[in-house]
Amino acid sequence: KMLMVTQVAKLYENGVNLIFRRKQPEPLQCGDWDIEALEAIVFLSVVKDRVERDITILHEFLHARRDVLGFRDLSEMEIERQAELTYYRRPSILQFIKQLYGIK
């Protein structure tokens, strides 16, 4: 159920972008998934640290996986749980995302 490297690669091939923005719209949120623009967005002014930023990246990619790759509809709580599990149990996926999208 966690995010997999092959899924991230398919999202990339399907045109999913990773965007960082300084400001966020209301309400306060760390990230957003824009299905029309195929953008996983992270709001840097909201994330507290690198761990929160990285979990937010995974969270938004899980939304993208659901919508672009047709995975079953997951609740927001389940997506957050999977993002945290992926972060702690499969750090190689986050490293793959960072390399693919040129993130330090």
Side-chain angles (χ1 to χ4, degrees), residues 31-89:
D32 194 20
W33 163 242
D34 184 338
I35 190 169
E36 291 178 11
L38 294 179
E39 292 179 345
I41 305 164
V42 177
F43 301 112
L44 297 175
S45 61
V46 179
V47 295
K48 296 177 204 135
D49 54 30
R50 186 176 296 232
V51 172
E52 188 172 53
R53 179 201 67 186
D54 290 350
I55 290 173
T56 301
I57 291 169
L58 294 169
H59 179 106
E60 301 312 330
F61 269 82
L62 284 160
H63 278 293
R65 180 185 75 174
R66 178 195 64 202
D67 295 338
V68 175
L69 301 181
F71 276 65
R72 67 183 175 96
D73 194 19
L74 300 172
S75 69
E76 192 66 22
M77 212 163 100
E78 180 63 18
I79 286 176
E80 187 62 25
R81 188 182 76 74
Q82 286 187 24
E84 290 177 10
L85 280 174
T86 302
Y87 178 81
Y88 290 109
R89 293 189 184 169

Side-chain angles (χ1 to χ4, degrees), residues 9-33:
K10 285 180 185 178
L11 292 171
Y12 184 81
E13 291 169 3
N14 279 284
V16 171
N17 292 304
L18 179 57
I19 307 294
F20 293 95
R21 295 207 174 121
R22 292 181 192 266
K23 295 183 181 181
Q24 83 292 343
E26 294 295 329
L28 292 178
Q29 56 192 35
C30 293
D32 194 20
W33 163 242

